[in-house]
Amino acid sequence: TLPTALNCTRSKSMVMGEVSRGSCRPASPSLQEGALKAGWLKKQRSIMKNWQLRWFVLRSDQLFFYKDEEETKPQGCITLQGCQVNELTANPDEPGRHLFEIVPGGTGEKDRAPISHESFLLMANSQTDMDDWVKAIRRVIWAPFGGGIFGQRLEDTVQYEKKFGPRLAPLLVEQCVDFIRERGLDEEGLFRMPGQANLVKELQEAFDCGDKPLFDSNTDVHTVASLLKLYLRELPEPVIPFSKYEDFLTCAQILAKDEEEVCAVSPL
């Protein structure tokens, strides 16, 4: 059966530490130009517990924050190496608060509890915005360990996984396709009916944390199909590259024309 508790530890601590400014590298306009992600987030101050709206820029393995978009000198930064990032369960009494935390410690040491009292609490404007930030930060944290594959370039994933043996596709794709071939080819609505959303999310987070969860006889094939669709949908560039898109369209048009001509001259 699928694990109900995966190795990405979810700390529920709401206590924040102040971000250290001494370790931040000097910023320049090029810092934001080369950003992996940038946008507005609210950060909670550790003493007053109030919220500050700041412009955040993710670059390399550091998350910088500025007073506004025009600033070139950051107010502080969070070094992400060795951290974990966790979504916090929504509080029904406080709708609209999309919270996530960055927890120092734990990366590469999945059996150890994170140091939750040093966590950094952040709030996004929407669920979608929070999901995007969590995925981007998780990709930075776990990419050195073979994780962060959702949204990662296909070439980067395949290049890293060469250490596990020669292959032409990511391990996740091979695993999903093999399972679907074995158990799903006679399944009605395959790739049309959705899988279990919570399990899809758990599997995504497991693969993003560098794990390779196995499917068994109790695994729902629609969940696996949904996971594969999600991976392909989040690729920065489609499986058919943009540079080859017109060539594929032209090829399809030629094939369709040839088929029409054959049908026109061949008796039924």
Side-chain angles (χ1 to χ4, degrees):
T1 58
L2 290 174
T4 55
L6 296 168
N7 289 329
C8 291
T9 305
R10 294 188 176 279
S11 168
K12 303 304 177 188
S13 169
M14 303 292 284
V15 182
M16 293 291 294
E18 279 295 332
V19 180
S20 171
R21 293 174 185 156
S23 61
C24 294
R25 296 190 298 265
S28 66
S30 61
L31 180 67
Q32 298 195 42
E33 291 172 5
L36 300 173
K37 182 172 177 58
W40 292 102
L41 291 171
K42 291 180 181 179
K43 61 178 289 287
Q44 189 181 75
R45 300 178 64 185
S46 62
I47 300 176
M48 302 299 294
K49 301 299 181 184
N50 61 332
W51 293 95
Q52 296 176 321
L53 184 63
R54 292 294 182 263
W55 179 256
F56 279 78
V57 177
L58 176 62
R59 186 175 188 272
S60 184
D61 63 349
Q62 289 187 302
L63 183 62
F64 295 82
F65 59 89
Y66 302 79
K67 187 176 181 180
D68 56 52
E69 297 179 64
E70 305 302 322
E71 292 289 327
T72 58
K73 182 178 180 180
Q75 290 187 332
C77 68
I78 303 170
T79 299
L80 299 174
Q81 185 177 5
C83 293
Q84 295 185 45
V85 57
N86 305 314
E87 294 183 24
L88 298 180
T89 303
N91 186 344
D93 297 329
E94 296 180 307
R97 292 166 65 89
H98 307 282
L99 304 176
F100 65 99
E101 63 178 355
I102 298 172
V103 186
T107 302
E109 302 176 356
K110 298 174 184 177
D111 295 330
R112 300 186 184 181
I115 308 173
S116 59
H117 66 276
E118 295 181 2
S119 62
F120 304 108
L121 187 62
L122 302 171
M123 186 194 306
N125 293 324
S126 66
Q127 181 68 40
T128 300
D129 190 32
M130 180 177 70
D131 289 344
D132 290 344
W133 273 107
V134 169
K135 283 186 287 188
I137 295 171
R138 185 172 287 153
R139 191 175 308 126
V140 168
I141 294 172
W142 288 103
F145 303 95
I149 64 173
F150 282 81
Q152 186 178 61
R153 294 194 324 144
L154 189 60
E155 301 94 314
D156 294 339
T157 301
V158 172
Q159 181 64 34
Y160 177 87
E161 292 183 350
K162 283 183 178 179
K163 64 170 63 180
F164 304 117
R167 52 180 33 87
L168 298 176
L171 288 167
L172 178 146
V173 173
E174 289 190 1
Q175 186 173 331
C176 289
V177 169
D178 288 345
F179 185 84
I180 291 169
R181 281 176 174 168
E182 180 181 353
R183 301 180 179 274
L185 295 184
D186 296 327
E187 189 74 20
E188 183 177 355
L190 187 64
F191 291 111
R192 181 176 57 82
M193 294 179 60
Q196 301 176 54
N198 61 321
L199 294 182
V200 173
K201 187 176 181 64
E202 285 187 6
L203 286 168
Q204 177 192 0
E205 292 180 353
F207 278 103
D208 262 347
C209 288
D211 294 334
K212 297 294 183 287
L214 299 177
F215 311 140
D216 60 24
S217 58
N218 294 317
T219 305
D220 175 32
V221 70
H222 295 290
T223 296
V224 176
S226 294
L227 181 70
L228 178 58
K229 287 196 300 181
L230 177 63
Y231 172 77
L232 296 175
R233 185 165 60 246
E234 293 200 358
L235 286 173
E237 186 175 44
V239 176
I240 299 176
F242 295 124
S243 61
K244 301 296 181 182
Y245 186 73
E246 292 297 331
D247 293 338
F248 271 85
L249 285 181
T250 301
C251 182
Q253 292 168 356
I254 293 173
L255 290 174
K257 182 178 179 180
D258 290 345
E259 186 176 344
E260 291 176 0
E261 293 176 352
V262 170
C263 291
V265 299
S266 299
L268 295 177

